[in-house]
């Protein structure tokens, strides 16, 4: 019957097959093989569009060209326009993507890298276009940089730096930043606060030169900083990065002023959302146009705990989707509409879950491994048929404190964590989703949780025992039933990655997810570092506490190889 369908219908049917079934299709009959061979590029392009791993208005060359430096999960090293754009086919692109996805689901990390150095990282952002890791830090790099100028006039014991995340080579450093500042990055815009009411916005230098935006208007402080950085760059010696190379470099764009101090921020292009710590105001900015779109005054009638306590709430985190702002407070998550600033939903831990899952309550046991390796184990999720455990373990102690919330790019799925053992996956319930609120709650045992990352498909949570990862099902159309997400969770399992022995998970300062990696920043024991620049390190430890290490867990590096590889890079 399939062979009797019109050719265009046949191609649509093939696009919806699991990618590993397409090869088996060609083995059914000679006619099937003929269809496949005659339309191989179209078939795999349709699969890429259907599974939302490629837009329908770009060809494969444009997709590859969008990554200026790397495409790790394609196992290719790109550099500017030197790469062969025609060397990648739709078939290879799709097959490697689904192999990467399989590695995510199975928790198969093919490569791990440790980056350590004489600094203390705080926040990290990943530029997947230029292949750089952007991090804020304290002390180490500032002293080292300014010592070359024989001047300490601008010492601020802090800074922000961009490094090649493959080699660790420094690309750009700005030491005129508050120590351990929070930073945001997306689509070439880098944002951090001055610990006042002012928010600095910088832009990738190559982007501003290629496509100058009319809103460009840095203040005097930014201009002076940029002048100083240019002078410092001219004094750099023995660098391996050519000065004509604009990769990883930024220049000031605009300075925003909220008029009141803010403590939480989240930038997802083009909107920057800022919230005051006392849960009074939220600001929504259009960054490329440097405009304040809305100032939301939070409804204080809703900013109370479930027992009617009048104690003021504190904002721990802020997030936003294309249509809503999520304000994560200690005892609730308030969700507000961007269109008019009105509250759409108030979510508390007392909301009854539709599905309650748990891992084995016993602490997982790992075999002793060498210090440089990172081990993982599978943790099946078991449904709890009744809520006895939930009532006994959670309800008696009242509301738990929310730590963070993240929302998918489409805005229909959001994930939250409480500091004590609970992960929430929520769908629907908001204006415009057309689906009722549905909640899966995962209990991780007696464990404190510290950080959350979510890219719409993969969840990563940093806790006492290590880093948990969970892959969600993929929705293909905006009209797909959101219940499919919860079904995929019940059929899946968590993966737990144990860090190296010198990593202090309680001192986790950042966790990020990219296409093919999990990035984790936490304090490490200083004895794990080489005995190098010891005086600088001793001062760093004395002032800042333990040094921090950045661990990158790769799912797509050297695809097809089972060998795990580790290394130490000094940055």
């Amino acid at each position: 019957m399939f062979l009797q369908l019109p050719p265009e219908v046949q191609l649509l049917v093939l696009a919806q097959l699991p990618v590993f079934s397409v090869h088996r299709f060609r083995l059914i009959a000679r006619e099937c093989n003929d269809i496949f061979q005659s339309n191989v590029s179209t078939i795999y392009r349709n699969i890429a569009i259907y599974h939302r791993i490629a837009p329908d208005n770009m060809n494969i060359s444009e997709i590859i060209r969008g990554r200026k430096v790397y495409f790790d999960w394609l196992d290719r090293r790109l550099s500017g326009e030197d790469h062969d754009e025609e060397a990648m086919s739709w078939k290879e692109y799709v097959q490697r993507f689904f192999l990467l996805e399989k590695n995510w689901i199975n928790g198969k990390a093919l490569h791990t890298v440790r980056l350590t150095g004489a600094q203390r990282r705080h926040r990290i952002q990943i530029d997947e276009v230029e292949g750089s890791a952007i991090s804020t830090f304290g002390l180490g790099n500032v002293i080292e940089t300014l010592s070359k100028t024989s001047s300490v006039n601008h010492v601020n014991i802090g800074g922000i730096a961009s490094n090649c995340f493959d080699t660790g080579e420094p690309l750009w450093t700005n030491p005129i930043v508050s120590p351990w500042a929070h930073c945001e990055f997306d689509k070439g815009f880098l944002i951090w606060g001055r610990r006042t009411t002012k928010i600095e916005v910088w832009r990738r230098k190559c982007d501003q030169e290629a496509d100058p935006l009319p809103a460009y208007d840095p203040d005097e402080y930014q201009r002076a900083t940029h002048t100083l950085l240019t002078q410092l760059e001219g004094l750099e010696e023995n660098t391996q990065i050519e000065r004509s190379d604009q990769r990883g470099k930024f220049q000031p764009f605009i300075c925003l002023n909220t008029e009141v101090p803010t403590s939480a921020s989240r930038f997802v292009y083009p909107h920057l959302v800022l919230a005051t710590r006392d849960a009074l105001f939220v600001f929504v900015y259009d960054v490329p146009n440097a405009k304040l779109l809305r100032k939301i005054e939070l409804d204080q009638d809703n900013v109370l705990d479930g027992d009617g306590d009048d104690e003021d709430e504190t904002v721990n985190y802020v997030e936003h989707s294309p249509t809503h702002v999520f304000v994560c407070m200690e005892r609730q998550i308030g969700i507000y509409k961007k269109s008019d600033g009105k509250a759409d939903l108030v979510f508390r831990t007392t909301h009854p879950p539709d599905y309650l899952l748990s891992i084995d309550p016993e602490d997982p046991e790992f075999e002793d491994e060498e210090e440089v390796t990172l081990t993982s184990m599978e943790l099946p999720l078991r449904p709890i048929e009744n809520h006895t455990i939930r009532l006994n373990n959670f309800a008696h102690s009242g509301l738990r404190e929310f730590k963070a919330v993240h929302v998918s790019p489409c805005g229909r799925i959001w994930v939250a964590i409480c500091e004590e053992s609970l992960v929430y996956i929520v769908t629907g319930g908001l204006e415009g989703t057309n689906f009722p609120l549905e909640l899966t709650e995962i209990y991780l045992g007696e464990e404190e949780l510290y950080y959350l990352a979510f890219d719409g498909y993969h969840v990563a949570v940093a806790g006492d025992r290590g880093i948990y990862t969970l892959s969600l099902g993929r929705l293909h159309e905006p009209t797909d039933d959101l219940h499919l997400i919860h079904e995929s969770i019940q059929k899946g399992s968590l993966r737990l990655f144990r860090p190296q022995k010198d990593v202090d998970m309680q001192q986790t300062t950042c966790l990020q997810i990219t296409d093919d990696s999990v990035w984790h920043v936490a304090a490490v024991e200083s004895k794990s570092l080489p005995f190098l620049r010891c005086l600088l390190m001793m001062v760093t430890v004395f002032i800042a506490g333990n040094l921090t290490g950045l661990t990158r867990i790769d799912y797509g590096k050297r695809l097809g190889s089972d060998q795990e590889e580790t290394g130490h890079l000094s940055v």
Side-chain angles (χ1 to χ4, degrees):
M1 178 177 289
F2 176 84
L3 297 176
Q4 298 174 357
L5 295 173
E8 60 273 15
V9 177
Q10 292 176 343
L11 296 179
L12 290 176
V13 171
L14 290 174
Q16 300 182 39
L17 287 177
V19 68
F20 298 109
S21 298
V22 174
H23 176 72
R24 291 195 290 269
F25 162 79
R26 62 184 295 191
L27 303 178
I28 296 174
R30 181 176 298 174
E31 292 83 357
C32 295
N33 184 58
D34 292 341
I35 294 174
F36 177 86
Q37 295 291 357
S38 301
N39 301 279
V40 59
S41 180
T42 302
I43 289 172
Y44 281 100
R45 180 178 183 274
N46 289 345
I47 290 174
I49 295 172
Y50 177 74
H51 289 278
R52 297 184 172 237
I53 61 175
D56 59 4
N57 60 347
M58 295 179 66
N59 58 41
I60 188 64
S61 298
E62 291 172 326
I63 293 174
I64 300 298
R65 194 183 304 121
R67 299 294 184 93
K68 297 180 181 179
V69 177
Y70 93 113
F71 236 136
D72 265 359
W73 56 270
L74 293 176
D75 196 23
R76 292 187 180 276
R77 185 54 79 213
L78 309 178
S79 57
E81 299 180 357
D82 296 335
H83 60 275
D84 184 0
E85 298 168 2
E86 301 301 326
M88 179 64 63
S89 68
W90 279 109
K91 178 181 178 181
E92 184 180 6
Y93 179 85
V94 170
Q95 287 181 337
R96 286 181 174 268
F97 175 86
F98 279 95
L99 181 56
L100 169 67
E101 194 70 8
K102 185 178 179 181
N103 290 341
W104 271 105
I105 294 172
N106 296 333
K108 185 179 181 182
L110 303 179
H111 187 258
T112 61
V113 174
R114 285 285 301 278
L115 297 100
T116 54
Q119 61 179 348
R120 187 180 181 184
R121 287 184 181 83
H122 182 59
R123 295 287 191 262
I124 182 171
Q125 298 290 335
I126 307 302
D127 185 348
E128 296 185 82
V129 171
E130 295 200 332
S132 63
I134 305 161
S135 56
T136 57
F137 55 84
L139 191 63
N141 273 10
V142 177
I143 292 177
E144 196 172 43
T145 300
L146 293 179
S147 65
K148 297 178 181 178
T149 69
S150 300
S151 170
V152 293
N153 294 331
H154 301 281
V155 170
N156 198 30
I157 63 167
I160 188 167
S162 170
N163 295 78
C164 172
F165 62 50
D166 189 43
T167 66
E169 288 292 337
L171 303 174
W172 175 83
T173 302
N174 180 357
I176 317 301
V177 176
S178 299
W180 310 303
H182 178 82
C183 67
E184 294 287 333
F185 175 83
D186 195 22
K187 299 292 192 298
F189 289 91
L190 178 60
I191 302 171
W192 67 85
R194 290 183 185 168
R195 303 266 173 101
T196 62
T197 62
K198 294 186 177 181
I199 308 297
E200 293 205 37
V201 180
W202 291 54
R203 193 181 181 202
R204 265 194 311 239
K205 191 171 183 179
C206 60
D207 292 348
Q208 183 62 23
E209 292 178 353
D211 181 24
L213 296 177
Y216 171 83
D217 187 22
D219 67 2
E220 292 183 5
Y221 184 88
Q222 289 177 301
R223 293 178 187 274
T225 300
H226 186 53
T227 299
L228 174 63
L229 297 184
T230 302
Q231 294 172 351
L232 290 175
E233 184 178 293
L235 295 174
E236 290 287 338
E237 298 178 355
N238 301 322
T239 178
Q240 297 181 17
I241 304 295
E242 295 182 6
R243 290 299 134 201
S244 60
D245 184 5
Q246 300 301 316
R247 177 189 171 198
K249 294 181 174 58
F250 294 85
Q251 68 179 55
F253 179 72
I254 195 73
C255 183
L256 307 174
N257 192 347
T258 59
E259 298 181 354
V260 293
T262 57
S263 66
S265 63
R266 176 68 169 153
F267 176 55
V268 179
Y269 184 89
H271 293 165
L272 169 66
V273 173
L274 302 159
T276 59
R277 185 166 180 77
D278 55 8
L280 292 178
F281 301 104
V282 170
F283 303 89
V284 182
Y285 282 91
D286 177 345
V287 168
N289 295 303
K291 291 183 179 179
L292 176 62
L293 299 180
R294 185 167 300 281
K295 178 181 178 181
I296 301 175
E297 186 171 355
L298 303 186
D299 185 356
Q300 295 303 301
D301 291 336
N302 287 328
V303 184
L304 300 170
D305 74 7
D307 299 324
D309 186 358
D310 290 337
E311 182 182 349
D312 292 338
E313 271 281 24
T314 299
V315 174
N316 287 335
Y317 207 89
V318 69
E319 172 66 295
H320 62 101
S321 70
T323 57
H324 289 79
V325 172
F326 295 69
V327 183
C328 179
M329 293 166 270
E330 291 181 346
R331 292 161 287 180
Q332 62 190 13
I333 298 174
I335 306 175
Y336 300 83
K337 293 182 285 186
K338 283 184 177 179
S339 58
D340 56 15
K342 293 182 179 179
D344 195 2
L345 178 69
V346 176
F347 179 81
R348 297 187 174 97
T349 56
T350 51
H351 189 99
D354 297 282
Y355 311 98
L356 181 58
L357 306 175
S358 175
I359 62 172
D360 191 329
E362 296 183 1
D363 194 31
E365 296 182 0
F366 291 91
E367 297 180 1
D368 290 336
E369 298 285 346
E370 296 181 8
E371 187 173 330
V372 296
T373 64
L374 181 144
T375 58
S376 69
M377 73 179 306
E378 183 178 7
L379 300 176
L381 292 171
R382 299 181 174 87
I384 300 175
E385 299 300 335
N386 59 64
H387 291 183
T388 302
I389 293 181
R390 185 177 193 273
L391 293 174
N392 290 340
N393 288 282
F394 315 147
H396 76 278
S397 58
L399 295 170
R400 299 293 187 178
E401 180 180 340
F402 283 109
K403 294 287 287 186
V405 61
H406 277 296
V407 63
S408 62
C410 67
R412 298 191 294 163
I413 310 164
W414 45 286
V415 179
I417 60 171
C418 278
E419 65 174 351
E420 297 183 22
S421 309
L422 296 176
V423 179
Y424 304 89
I425 295 93
V426 190
T427 60
L430 301 178
E431 183 180 284
T433 59
N434 300 321
F435 287 94
L437 188 143
E438 198 168 1
L439 167 64
T440 292
E441 186 176 293
I442 302 176
Y443 176 56
L444 298 180
E446 297 300 323
E447 175 166 12
E448 187 169 352
L449 306 180
Y450 304 110
Y451 224 95
L452 169 70
F454 176 51
D455 66 354
Y457 306 110
H458 311 111
V459 181
V461 178
D464 283 328
R465 288 179 287 191
I467 300 171
Y468 296 88
T469 62
L470 174 68
S471 295
L472 307 182
R474 286 183 176 266
L475 301 176
H476 305 297
E477 300 294 340
T479 56
D480 285 350
D481 191 343
L482 294 177
H483 177 69
L484 297 173
I485 296 296
H486 301 275
E487 286 186 351
S488 70
I489 298 171
Q490 296 175 63
K491 296 176 182 178
S493 61
L494 287 173
R495 304 295 306 198
L496 173 60
F497 289 88
R498 186 186 70 166
Q500 296 178 22
K501 295 179 180 180
D502 60 348
V503 175
D504 184 355
M505 292 300 296
Q506 292 184 359
Q507 297 298 319
T508 295
T509 62
C510 200
L511 188 69
Q512 296 286 351
I513 289 179
T514 56
D515 285 346
D516 61 350
S517 303
V518 173
W519 302 73
H520 175 243
V521 182
V524 298
E525 296 179 11
S526 56
K527 65 181 181 181
S528 66
L529 296 174
F531 188 76
L532 182 65
R533 292 173 294 181
C534 59
L535 178 60
L536 176 61
M537 292 187 183
M538 288 169 59
V539 175
T540 304
V541 174
F542 177 75
I543 296 178
N546 289 340
L547 304 180
T548 55
L550 168 61
T551 300
R552 188 179 84 215
I553 308 169
D554 288 331
Y555 293 87
K557 193 87 168 180
R558 292 176 174 81
L559 292 175
S561 172
D562 293 331
Q563 184 177 2
E564 180 180 82
E565 206 173 301
T566 61
H568 291 265
L569 299 177
S570 214
V571 297

